[in-house]
PDB file of all heavy atoms in Angstrom:
ATOM      1  N   ARG A 132       4.247  19.729  17.580  1.00  0.00           N
ATOM      2  CA  ARG A 132       2.800  19.877  17.386  1.00  0.00           C
ATOM      3  C   ARG A 132       2.452  20.391  15.989  1.00  0.00           C
ATOM      4  O   ARG A 132       1.543  21.185  15.804  1.00  0.00           O
ATOM      5  CB  ARG A 132       2.194  20.769  18.467  1.00  0.00           C
ATOM      6  CG  ARG A 132       2.446  20.216  19.881  1.00  0.00           C
ATOM      7  CD  ARG A 132       1.854  21.056  20.960  1.00  0.00           C
ATOM      8  NE  ARG A 132       0.407  21.124  20.942  1.00  0.00           N
ATOM      9  CZ  ARG A 132      -0.430  20.219  21.454  1.00  0.00           C
ATOM     10  NH1 ARG A 132       0.058  19.134  21.992  1.00  0.00           N
ATOM     11  NH2 ARG A 132      -1.733  20.411  21.412  1.00  0.00           N
ATOM     12  N   SER A 139      -4.016  13.425  11.157  1.00  0.00           N
ATOM     13  CA  SER A 139      -3.625  13.207  12.532  1.00  0.00           C
ATOM     14  C   SER A 139      -4.849  12.925  13.387  1.00  0.00           C
ATOM     15  O   SER A 139      -5.931  13.412  13.139  1.00  0.00           O
ATOM     16  CB  SER A 139      -2.879  14.428  13.072  1.00  0.00           C
ATOM     17  OG  SER A 139      -3.737  15.542  13.030  1.00  0.00           O
ATOM     18  N   SER A 140      -4.672  12.104  14.392  1.00  0.00           N
ATOM     19  CA  SER A 140      -5.807  11.744  15.232  1.00  0.00           C
ATOM     20  C   SER A 140      -6.273  12.948  16.022  1.00  0.00           C
ATOM     21  O   SER A 140      -5.488  13.753  16.498  1.00  0.00           O
ATOM     22  CB  SER A 140      -5.409  10.624  16.192  1.00  0.00           C
ATOM     23  OG  SER A 140      -4.425  11.091  17.081  1.00  0.00           O
ATOM     24  N   GLY A 141      -7.548  13.078  16.121  1.00  0.00           N
ATOM     25  CA  GLY A 141      -8.127  14.176  16.879  1.00  0.00           C
ATOM     26  C   GLY A 141      -8.440  15.392  16.060  1.00  0.00           C
ATOM     27  O   GLY A 141      -9.210  16.235  16.487  1.00  0.00           O
ATOM     28  N   SER A 142      -7.876  15.535  14.879  1.00  0.00           N
ATOM     29  CA  SER A 142      -8.108  16.753  14.114  1.00  0.00           C
ATOM     30  C   SER A 142      -9.528  16.822  13.581  1.00  0.00           C
ATOM     31  O   SER A 142     -10.037  17.893  13.334  1.00  0.00           O
ATOM     32  CB  SER A 142      -7.104  16.869  12.968  1.00  0.00           C
ATOM     33  OG  SER A 142      -7.314  15.835  12.031  1.00  0.00           O
ATOM     34  N   THR A 143     -10.191  15.694  13.405  1.00  0.00           N
ATOM     35  CA  THR A 143     -11.552  15.726  12.886  1.00  0.00           C
ATOM     36  C   THR A 143     -12.572  15.967  13.988  1.00  0.00           C
ATOM     37  O   THR A 143     -13.703  16.314  13.707  1.00  0.00           O
ATOM     38  CB  THR A 143     -11.888  14.405  12.178  1.00  0.00           C
ATOM     39  OG1 THR A 143     -11.701  13.330  13.100  1.00  0.00           O
ATOM     40  CG2 THR A 143     -11.014  14.208  10.965  1.00  0.00           C
ATOM     41  N   SER A 144     -12.187  15.797  15.235  1.00  0.00           N
ATOM     42  CA  SER A 144     -13.145  15.973  16.321  1.00  0.00           C
ATOM     43  C   SER A 144     -13.190  17.407  16.831  1.00  0.00           C
ATOM     44  O   SER A 144     -14.023  17.738  17.658  1.00  0.00           O
ATOM     45  CB  SER A 144     -12.799  15.033  17.486  1.00  0.00           C
ATOM     46  OG  SER A 144     -11.552  15.394  18.027  1.00  0.00           O
ATOM     47  N   MET A 145     -12.323  18.253  16.370  1.00  0.00           N
ATOM     48  CA  MET A 145     -12.292  19.637  16.822  1.00  0.00           C
ATOM     49  C   MET A 145     -13.063  20.517  15.833  1.00  0.00           C
ATOM     50  O   MET A 145     -13.369  20.114  14.731  1.00  0.00           O
ATOM     51  CB  MET A 145     -10.843  20.119  16.947  1.00  0.00           C
ATOM     52  CG  MET A 145      -9.991  19.253  17.862  1.00  0.00           C
ATOM     53  SD  MET A 145     -10.633  19.090  19.525  1.00  0.00           S
ATOM     54  CE  MET A 145     -10.140  20.653  20.168  1.00  0.00           C
ATOM     55  N   THR A 146     -13.362  21.732  16.233  1.00  0.00           N
ATOM     56  CA  THR A 146     -14.151  22.608  15.382  1.00  0.00           C
ATOM     57  C   THR A 146     -13.352  23.149  14.203  1.00  0.00           C
ATOM     58  O   THR A 146     -13.895  23.373  13.145  1.00  0.00           O
ATOM     59  CB  THR A 146     -14.709  23.782  16.198  1.00  0.00           C
ATOM     60  OG1 THR A 146     -13.624  24.468  16.812  1.00  0.00           O
ATOM     61  CG2 THR A 146     -15.668  23.292  17.252  1.00  0.00           C
ATOM     62  N   SER A 147     -12.078  23.362  14.357  1.00  0.00           N
ATOM     63  CA  SER A 147     -11.263  23.830  13.242  1.00  0.00           C
ATOM     64  C   SER A 147     -10.227  22.759  12.913  1.00  0.00           C
ATOM     65  O   SER A 147      -9.876  21.960  13.772  1.00  0.00           O
ATOM     66  CB  SER A 147     -10.564  25.140  13.602  1.00  0.00           C
ATOM     67  OG  SER A 147      -9.579  24.908  14.579  1.00  0.00           O
ATOM     68  N   PRO A 148      -9.736  22.734  11.689  1.00  0.00           N
ATOM     69  CA  PRO A 148      -8.778  21.702  11.316  1.00  0.00           C
ATOM     70  C   PRO A 148      -7.536  21.680  12.196  1.00  0.00           C
ATOM     71  O   PRO A 148      -6.953  20.644  12.403  1.00  0.00           O
ATOM     72  CB  PRO A 148      -8.414  22.052   9.871  1.00  0.00           C
ATOM     73  CG  PRO A 148      -9.546  22.863   9.369  1.00  0.00           C
ATOM     74  CD  PRO A 148     -10.088  23.590  10.569  1.00  0.00           C
ATOM     75  N   ALA A 149      -7.113  22.823  12.703  1.00  0.00           N
ATOM     76  CA  ALA A 149      -5.920  22.874  13.547  1.00  0.00           C
ATOM     77  C   ALA A 149      -6.289  23.125  15.008  1.00  0.00           C
ATOM     78  O   ALA A 149      -5.448  23.516  15.797  1.00  0.00           O
ATOM     79  CB  ALA A 149      -4.968  23.950  13.055  1.00  0.00           C
ATOM     80  N   GLY A 150      -7.537  22.860  15.374  1.00  0.00           N
ATOM     81  CA  GLY A 150      -7.979  23.131  16.733  1.00  0.00           C
ATOM     82  C   GLY A 150      -7.293  22.292  17.787  1.00  0.00           C
ATOM     83  O   GLY A 150      -7.183  22.696  18.935  1.00  0.00           O
ATOM     84  N   TRP A 151      -6.815  21.131  17.415  1.00  0.00           N
ATOM     85  CA  TRP A 151      -6.141  20.267  18.379  1.00  0.00           C
ATOM     86  C   TRP A 151      -4.862  20.896  18.891  1.00  0.00           C
ATOM     87  O   TRP A 151      -4.391  20.559  19.967  1.00  0.00           O
ATOM     88  CB  TRP A 151      -5.841  18.918  17.745  1.00  0.00           C
ATOM     89  CG  TRP A 151      -4.930  19.019  16.575  1.00  0.00           C
ATOM     90  CD1 TRP A 151      -5.283  19.199  15.287  1.00  0.00           C
ATOM     91  CD2 TRP A 151      -3.509  18.978  16.602  1.00  0.00           C
ATOM     92  NE1 TRP A 151      -4.175  19.276  14.489  1.00  0.00           N
ATOM     93  CE2 TRP A 151      -3.069  19.147  15.283  1.00  0.00           C
ATOM     94  CE3 TRP A 151      -2.562  18.831  17.607  1.00  0.00           C
ATOM     95  CZ2 TRP A 151      -1.733  19.159  14.941  1.00  0.00           C
ATOM     96  CZ3 TRP A 151      -1.231  18.841  17.256  1.00  0.00           C
ATOM     97  CH2 TRP A 151      -0.821  19.001  15.947  1.00  0.00           C
ATOM     98  N   ARG A 152      -4.274  21.824  18.129  1.00  0.00           N
ATOM     99  CA  ARG A 152      -3.023  22.439  18.564  1.00  0.00           C
ATOM    100  C   ARG A 152      -3.205  23.294  19.808  1.00  0.00           C
ATOM    101  O   ARG A 152      -2.290  23.451  20.606  1.00  0.00           O
ATOM    102  CB  ARG A 152      -2.446  23.310  17.448  1.00  0.00           C
ATOM    103  CG  ARG A 152      -1.957  22.521  16.292  1.00  0.00           C
ATOM    104  CD  ARG A 152      -1.317  23.422  15.273  1.00  0.00           C
ATOM    105  NE  ARG A 152      -0.955  22.651  14.103  1.00  0.00           N
ATOM    106  CZ  ARG A 152      -0.954  23.115  12.889  1.00  0.00           C
ATOM    107  NH1 ARG A 152      -1.267  24.372  12.656  1.00  0.00           N
ATOM    108  NH2 ARG A 152      -0.613  22.363  11.875  1.00  0.00           N
ATOM    109  N   SER A 153      -4.385  23.876  19.953  1.00  0.00           N
ATOM    110  CA  SER A 153      -4.605  24.760  21.099  1.00  0.00           C
ATOM    111  C   SER A 153      -4.828  23.979  22.384  1.00  0.00           C
ATOM    112  O   SER A 153      -4.695  24.522  23.464  1.00  0.00           O
ATOM    113  CB  SER A 153      -5.802  25.681  20.833  1.00  0.00           C
ATOM    114  OG  SER A 153      -6.965  24.895  20.662  1.00  0.00           O
ATOM    115  N   ARG A 154      -5.175  22.715  22.289  1.00  0.00           N
ATOM    116  CA  ARG A 154      -5.403  21.902  23.476  1.00  0.00           C
ATOM    117  C   ARG A 154      -4.071  21.322  23.928  1.00  0.00           C
ATOM    118  O   ARG A 154      -3.468  20.511  23.255  1.00  0.00           O
ATOM    119  CB  ARG A 154      -6.395  20.783  23.150  1.00  0.00           C
ATOM    120  CG  ARG A 154      -6.800  20.013  24.386  1.00  0.00           C
ATOM    121  CD  ARG A 154      -7.859  19.008  24.078  1.00  0.00           C
ATOM    122  NE  ARG A 154      -7.327  18.031  23.131  1.00  0.00           N
ATOM    123  CZ  ARG A 154      -8.048  17.082  22.583  1.00  0.00           C
ATOM    124  NH1 ARG A 154      -9.314  16.999  22.839  1.00  0.00           N
ATOM    125  NH2 ARG A 154      -7.513  16.233  21.752  1.00  0.00           N
ATOM    126  N   ARG A 155      -3.613  21.732  25.087  1.00  0.00           N
ATOM    127  CA  ARG A 155      -2.290  21.322  25.560  1.00  0.00           C
ATOM    128  C   ARG A 155      -2.293  19.962  26.238  1.00  0.00           C
ATOM    129  O   ARG A 155      -1.340  19.233  26.148  1.00  0.00           O
ATOM    130  CB  ARG A 155      -1.718  22.358  26.533  1.00  0.00           C
ATOM    131  CG  ARG A 155      -1.371  23.648  25.849  1.00  0.00           C
ATOM    132  CD  ARG A 155      -0.201  23.416  24.957  1.00  0.00           C
ATOM    133  NE  ARG A 155       0.085  24.609  24.166  1.00  0.00           N
ATOM    134  CZ  ARG A 155       0.803  24.596  23.088  1.00  0.00           C
ATOM    135  NH1 ARG A 155       1.298  23.475  22.647  1.00  0.00           N
ATOM    136  NH2 ARG A 155       1.028  25.685  22.409  1.00  0.00           N
ATOM    137  N   SER A 156      -3.339  19.615  26.933  1.00  0.00           N
ATOM    138  CA  SER A 156      -3.341  18.386  27.689  1.00  0.00           C
ATOM    139  C   SER A 156      -3.877  17.237  26.828  1.00  0.00           C
ATOM    140  O   SER A 156      -4.984  17.296  26.326  1.00  0.00           O
ATOM    141  CB  SER A 156      -4.217  18.509  28.926  1.00  0.00           C
ATOM    142  OG  SER A 156      -4.367  17.257  29.552  1.00  0.00           O
ATOM    143  N   ALA A 159      -7.235  15.694  28.319  1.00  0.00           N
ATOM    144  CA  ALA A 159      -8.457  16.498  28.493  1.00  0.00           C
ATOM    145  C   ALA A 159      -9.661  15.684  28.044  1.00  0.00           C
ATOM    146  O   ALA A 159      -9.593  14.946  27.075  1.00  0.00           O
ATOM    147  CB  ALA A 159      -8.365  17.777  27.685  1.00  0.00           C
ATOM    148  N   PRO A 160     -10.786  15.807  28.756  1.00  0.00           N
ATOM    149  CA  PRO A 160     -11.978  15.038  28.367  1.00  0.00           C
ATOM    150  C   PRO A 160     -12.498  15.503  27.024  1.00  0.00           C
ATOM    151  O   PRO A 160     -12.431  16.663  26.670  1.00  0.00           O
ATOM    152  CB  PRO A 160     -12.986  15.329  29.485  1.00  0.00           C
ATOM    153  CG  PRO A 160     -12.508  16.579  30.124  1.00  0.00           C
ATOM    154  CD  PRO A 160     -11.009  16.635  29.919  1.00  0.00           C
ATOM    155  N   HIS A 161     -13.053  14.583  26.290  1.00  0.00           N
ATOM    156  CA  HIS A 161     -13.577  14.898  24.947  1.00  0.00           C
ATOM    157  C   HIS A 161     -14.971  15.354  25.089  1.00  0.00           C
ATOM    158  O   HIS A 161     -15.929  15.096  24.935  1.00  0.00           O
ATOM    159  CB  HIS A 161     -13.454  13.713  24.017  1.00  0.00           C
ATOM    160  CG  HIS A 161     -12.022  13.346  23.766  1.00  0.00           C
ATOM    161  ND1 HIS A 161     -11.204  14.103  22.968  1.00  0.00           N
ATOM    162  CD2 HIS A 161     -11.261  12.350  24.221  1.00  0.00           C
ATOM    163  CE1 HIS A 161     -10.017  13.562  22.929  1.00  0.00           C
ATOM    164  NE2 HIS A 161     -10.024  12.500  23.680  1.00  0.00           N
TER     165      HIS A 161
END
Side-chain angles (χ1 to χ4, degrees):
R132 302 181 65 82
S139 61
S140 65
S142 66
T143 57
S144 65
M145 304 303 282
T146 57
S147 69
W151 62 270
R152 291 184 185 148
S153 62
R154 187 175 62 186
R155 291 291 174 198
S156 172
H161 296 287

